[in-house]
Amino acid sequence: MPGNALILSGGGARAAYQVGVLLGVSDILPHLKNPFEIISGTSAGAINAASLAAHPGSFNRSAHDLAAIWRELEPDSVFRSNLTSLLSGAANVGFSLLHGGSRGKKPLALLDNSPLRETLSHMIDFRHIQRKIDKGKLKALSVTALGYSSGESVSFFQGQAGLKGWRRYRRVGTPATISVEHLLASSAIPVIFPTLKLSMEYFGDGAMRQMAPISSALHLGANRVFIIGVSGNRAVGPWGRSGKFVEPENSPSLAQILGQMMNAAFIDSLEGDIEHLERVNDLLRLVPEKAEGQTGYLREVDTLIISPTKRLDRIAARKIKGLPKTLRFFLRSSGASAKGGGAAAASYLLFTREYCNELIELGYNDAMWDRDKIEAFFNKG
């Protein structure tokens, strides 16, 4: 599928929804052996992206194997949730306030995500990425992280010879051999998970300051993009959209504030970039045929976007009880519940079978709902 790119945004546990959509695509078009020559991921989306890029089998097999991992996921596969680890993380952050906000070379984090390193090491054989590139089955894999010193959004890409890096305002693309370190850095939610040092700089979650999530795929040569978001904006209002608005009784809880901050990092930039891309496409369609050669590097890019038809925070509010007691107490005390209005924060950390399986099911159903669009997109390619 020349020029096809897959864009997987960040979103912590919400990335299970992406897996459901991919499952749906693989069942709708089972003949697709390799539908995406470019795969770009950020944060938890980077983990899904690398898993697909490193899988030696067909797209159908890779989607089902990825789903099998997410269906069995538990919090202890991602972070240590026992009381000792949680207290240690809180103490680590607390003590930093007495030492200029830093703990020296020890990264600040409330949660110990060392289990995630082990999970990823067993889940992904990174050697297959280059093998697929050498065989022409993959053009490039891109993983984005934020450099804390430079403040730049850095897209590390592993791809075919001849692909060049780029530099734009606060955006950099640089060739690299993708490893578990890049995935841990890209998914390091601020303060929640520890930063990682890559080369000369500490990196954190790639969703932060990622002003143009689609751009890395375009720099790598994509002219058609299949985007899987994790926002529930298709399902909510109230301003100018359908949906019932209930006036809140209290001011926002701590979890509600944190949830909106996470939404801003993981969701808003992607939706803004999609809007910008569609506006450029509309403008290019107005350009007379004889003047097309004067548009410079601008080109029309076909897009298909699949995003949740249900609010993921409401699903999370029903599933909080599946978390370990220690973490459940912390989330509920901060207002991360339906009553507290902060379930959005919990929706990013709910790495439980019940929550992930419901999101996979939702993603699959949404893909089936958009079956005609999906068939048209890939048949056109």
Side-chain angles (χ1 to χ4, degrees), residues 153-171:
S153 179
V154 181
S155 294
F156 299 96
F157 67 88
Q158 183 173 349
Q160 295 176 354
L163 290 176
K164 297 181 180 180
W166 61 88
R167 176 173 290 277
R168 298 291 186 269
Y169 180 71
R170 294 294 182 189
R171 291 184 285 123

Side-chain angles (χ1 to χ4, degrees), residues 87-145:
L87 290 176
S88 176
N92 183 33
V93 175
F95 285 142
S96 71
L97 301 178
L98 304 176
H99 297 84
S102 173
R103 292 288 283 163
K105 294 184 178 181
K106 184 177 182 180
L108 292 176
L110 287 171
L111 299 178
D112 175 5
N113 69 339
S114 55
L116 179 59
R117 178 186 291 274
E118 184 176 350
T119 298
L120 294 177
S121 297
H122 285 92
M123 171 181 168
I124 302 172
D125 187 345
F126 292 89
R127 295 172 297 179
H128 285 302
I129 298 174
Q130 190 59 46
R131 291 170 185 167
K132 290 178 71 172
I133 292 172
D134 293 340
K135 292 179 180 179
K137 295 181 178 179
L138 179 70
K139 184 176 182 180
L141 166 67
S142 173
V143 171
T144 301

